[in-house]
Amino acid sequence: MNEVVGFVALVIPAMVPFVLAAQGTILSGRAGVFNVSQEGVMVLGASVGFLASFTLGGNTVGLLVAAAAGGLVGLVLALASTALRMDQFVVGLALYFATLGLASLLYRVIVGVTLEPPLIALLETYPIPLLSDIPVVGEVLFDQDLVVYFAFALSFGLWWFMYRTAAGLRFRAVGENPKAADSLGINVFRTRVWATVAGSALVAMGGAYLPMVYTGTFTEGMVAGRGWLVIALAFLGGWRPHYVVAGAAFFAGMDVLALRAQVADIAIPHQFVMMLPYFATLIVMIFAFRWARQPGFLGNNYDRESRLTG
């Protein structure tokens, strides 16, 4: 029983980077903008979030600065795809490489090369009164840091917005059929811009969470492919906020399982253990693509003047 509780206690915070980045991907995708720069934006968020926390003090500041940096990247993608009608996939890949290099550059400029990397304080946990006193369940679910609570509240809020409000219906219409949405007076351009900016900000926050809960410092490989898994997670969850949470639990569980296998010193090659999350993702995606449905206009640009896609 203790093993199960310990495993779940590790999975909950491990879900947060996946949940935040996947919800950000869904937010822009539901507006029709397919962002593929998640890996680079998460690395940039981890770098900027750590540097802001280290130099300015406070993880809250770090998260906000990381979100702002991610939002700027999202603004570039949004303007390139809406105003300039450039290929979203090509722009996304360019931003991936740009953010990856910028993250490393900022760290080297501000911190430099040191024998011992600087450290920041890890996020504190805040038990919810009464709920945290529930045996077993309380200590696992209701004794977490504030970002965990935010990630799950955000998931519920996005689900409510998209499927329980008229504004959410109009928002989803932009990603399904922008021509019809435009004819109803919905501003397709503005919707795509704010959704992409907000979505990219969430992706960066997912990256910033990593040094604040695990290592206390920034390393270039700490995102470890989570950004690419997030794209698979969006498809796996059918671009629905509530299904993404379940998918994030699966990916986080595989991550924790791989780490525990390493700690247990099992006679299995290290490379094989690290491959497990990606191999499991491949297997799941083979079956998921059979039923997963994506927004009808995902990845296409909308030209209001000619009503053509690009």
Side-chain angles (χ1 to χ4, degrees):
M1 184 65 179
N2 289 335
E3 283 293 323
V4 174
V5 173
F7 180 78
V8 175
L10 292 174
V11 169
I12 297 297
M15 290 175 60
V16 173
F18 290 108
V19 171
L20 290 177
Q23 300 297 13
T25 303
I26 288 176
L27 196 59
S28 59
R30 277 294 184 177
V33 178
F34 187 29
N35 187 0
V36 296
S37 64
Q38 286 88 336
E39 180 78 5
V41 174
M42 288 185 75
V43 175
L44 179 64
S47 175
V48 170
F50 165 75
L51 292 173
S53 298
F54 178 68
T55 57
L56 302 177
N59 288 326
T60 302
V61 176
L63 288 167
L64 293 176
V65 173
L72 288 175
V73 177
L75 181 62
V76 173
L77 174 60
L79 294 178
S81 60
T82 54
L84 303 178
R85 303 185 187 90
M86 299 173 65
D87 187 279
Q88 296 178 16
F89 187 79
V90 173
V91 175
L93 282 181
L95 289 174
Y96 157 67
F97 289 110
T99 50
L100 208 61
L102 181 60
S104 178
L105 176 63
L106 288 174
Y107 182 83
R108 292 174 185 272
V109 168
I110 296 176
V111 175
V113 179
T114 58
L115 295 177
E116 294 185 5
L119 298 174
I120 59 174
L122 299 181
L123 290 169
E124 298 181 7
T125 59
Y126 292 88
I128 299 178
L130 299 179
L131 294 178
S132 60
D133 296 330
I134 302 174
V136 182
V137 176
E139 62 183 270
V140 173
L141 298 180
F142 303 112
D143 189 8
Q144 302 288 344
D145 60 75
L146 295 179
V147 184
V148 172
Y149 302 138
F150 169 75
F152 286 98
L154 171 73
S155 300
F156 176 79
L158 285 178
W159 169 79
W160 182 269
F161 165 71
M162 290 186 187
Y163 295 99
R164 290 295 183 271
T165 67
L169 179 61
R170 292 192 293 269
F171 171 73
R172 287 187 288 125
V174 172
E176 293 290 346
N177 192 333
K179 181 178 180 180
D182 193 14
S183 65
L184 294 174
I186 300 172
N187 192 318
V188 176
F189 175 84
R190 185 170 58 195
T191 301
R192 285 191 161 204
V193 169
W194 77 254
T196 307
V197 170
S200 190
L202 289 174
V203 174
M205 285 185 67
Y209 182 75
L210 293 170
M212 296 178 185
V213 76
Y214 288 123
T215 62
T217 189
F218 169 76
T219 55
E220 293 183 10
M222 69 187 316
V223 175
R226 288 180 178 87
W228 301 115
L229 292 178
V230 160
I231 299 176
L233 179 55
F235 282 98
L236 175 63
W239 299 86
R240 291 177 171 86
H242 47 303
Y243 290 157
V244 157
V245 175
F250 169 77
F251 286 121
M254 293 304 301
D255 259 355
V256 173
L257 188 63
L259 291 174
R260 298 201 101 180
Q262 286 182 271
V263 174
D265 196 24
I266 300 175
I268 299 176
H270 167 74
Q271 292 82 359
F272 179 81
V273 174
M274 296 304 295
M275 180 191 72
L276 285 177
Y278 306 97
F279 179 74
T281 301
L282 179 62
I283 297 299
V284 170
M285 291 304 295
I286 290 174
F287 296 98
F289 269 115
R290 296 184 178 182
W291 61 267
R293 182 183 180 278
Q294 66 186 44
F297 217 73
L298 180 67
N300 294 315
N301 298 331
Y302 176 65
D303 188 344
R304 185 180 185 186
E305 299 299 326
S306 61
R307 310 287 176 141
L308 296 176
T309 61

